[in-house]
């Protein structure tokens, strides 16, 4: 099988996770973003034969990515440009195609702290059968992963609000497996509580052990033992 190149865009830390601003202070939000990135990258790399490329203009994000085994591509797109997210992903996809024309390409969100390697592998198998596959997020409207296994071509990138429908309309096959960790991108306090119930990776767990936030009491007792027992990447 060809190698898989996973493209992970990350905006500047100061702009990230604004919907958590009423429950976490800026320093805690930044630490959480870095931790979720590290757990996402670690899980993807654990799926085997994977290169992860983090696309960012933030030096702290780049350092965190390198620390957990990812490569880094400086974001070539200005943040005030039209559609900076998809433009950055397209630039990374073109770069990957230049270096590995036959590689499988995956655009993956960076905020998947409950992702497991086997979930990523299952989604990749669907894409290998169908050509292009999309993982619809837990809200049933967004996209957490777009997997493209058509050699020599670029994926139909259309991230943003309502992206799942656009990706499906462009020909991506919706991955049918449950994949709870791969579908759970964290944007809100409810998402964060759901991730803790599901179990998070080591880096995210370490950060959350140092902060308090609303809704935590609903999931701590259920998540604590499971997190320490099963989320050991």
């Amino acid at each position: 099988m060809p190698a898989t190149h996973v493209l992970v865009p990350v905006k500047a830390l100061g702009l990230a996770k604004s919907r958590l601003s009423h429950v976490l202070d800026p320093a805690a939000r930044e630490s959480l973003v870095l931790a979720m990135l590290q757990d996402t990258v670690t899980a993807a790399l654990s799926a085997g034969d994977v290169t992860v490329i983090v696309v960012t203009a933030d030096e702290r994000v780049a350092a965190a990515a390198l620390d957990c085994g990812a490569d880094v591509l400086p974001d070539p797109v200005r943040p005030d440009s039209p559609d900076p997210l998809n433009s950055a992903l397209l630039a990374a996809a073109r770069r990957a195609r230049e270096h590995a024309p036959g590689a499988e390409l995956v655009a993956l969100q960076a905020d998947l702290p409950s992702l497991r390697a086997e979930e990523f592998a299952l989604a990749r198998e669907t894409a290998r059968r169908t050509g292009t596959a999309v993982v619809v997020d837990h809200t049933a409207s967004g996209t957490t992963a777009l997997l493209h296994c058509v050699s020599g071509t670029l994926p139909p990138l259309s991230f943003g609000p309502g992206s799942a429908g656009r990706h499906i309309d462009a020909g991506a096959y919706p991955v049918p497996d449950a994949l709870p960790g791969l579908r759970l991108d964290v944007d809100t306090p409810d998402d964060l509580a759901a991730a803790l119930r599901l179990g998070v990776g080591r880096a995210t767990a370490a950060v959350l052990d140092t902060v308090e936030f609303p809704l935590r009491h609903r999931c701590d007792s259920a998540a604590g033992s499971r997190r320490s027992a099963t989320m050991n990447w």
Side-chain angles (χ1 to χ4, degrees):
M1 289 291 181
T4 302
H5 288 219
V6 180
L7 316 175
V8 183
V10 185
K11 65 177 68 174
L13 285 178
L15 303 175
K17 300 303 167 195
S18 59
R19 282 186 279 176
L20 293 172
S21 61
H22 62 293
V23 296
L24 294 175
D25 63 38
R29 289 201 312 277
E30 291 179 3
S31 295
L32 179 63
V33 169
L34 293 174
M36 292 194 297
L37 169 65
Q38 290 179 311
D39 287 333
T40 301
V41 168
T42 299
L45 288 172
S46 297
D49 200 20
V50 170
T51 296
V52 176
I53 303 165
V54 173
V55 187
T56 187
D58 191 294
E59 292 183 358
R60 289 180 60 196
V61 171
L66 291 169
D67 281 346
C68 56
D71 296 332
V72 173
L73 175 65
D75 192 342
V77 181
R78 289 174 54 89
D80 58 352
S81 301
D83 198 9
L85 172 58
N86 288 301
S87 296
L89 282 169
L90 182 59
R94 285 174 172 159
R95 179 73 64 87
R97 277 281 174 259
E98 291 173 4
H99 291 88
E104 300 166 343
L105 299 179
V106 179
L108 185 69
Q109 298 283 22
D111 52 358
L112 302 169
S114 299
L115 176 62
R116 292 167 168 80
E118 58 267 28
E119 294 178 329
F120 183 86
L122 277 172
R124 186 171 56 181
E125 288 305 315
T126 297
R128 286 173 173 171
R129 293 193 304 269
T130 62
T132 303
V134 58
V135 179
V136 181
D137 73 5
H138 64 291
T139 71
S141 64
T143 299
T144 58
L146 183 69
L147 306 99
H148 187 68
C149 297
V150 183
S151 179
T153 65
L154 296 171
L157 298 163
S158 189
F159 282 83
S163 62
R166 292 193 300 275
H167 285 139
I168 292 168
D169 289 344
Y173 182 86
V175 176
D177 305 281
L179 310 180
L182 183 51
R183 296 190 190 277
L184 183 54
D185 52 331
V186 172
D187 290 310
T188 69
D190 283 323
D191 298 339
L192 195 53
L196 269 174
R197 288 193 296 270
L198 189 57
V200 297
R202 283 181 172 175
T204 302
V207 169
L208 294 180
D209 281 345
T210 69
V211 299
E212 291 294 332
F213 58 91
L215 307 180
R216 181 168 193 148
H217 66 280
R218 299 184 187 179
C219 53
D220 268 352
S221 59
S225 60
R226 181 168 63 250
R227 184 172 66 232
S228 61
T230 63
M231 306 293 282
N232 291 320
W233 55 78

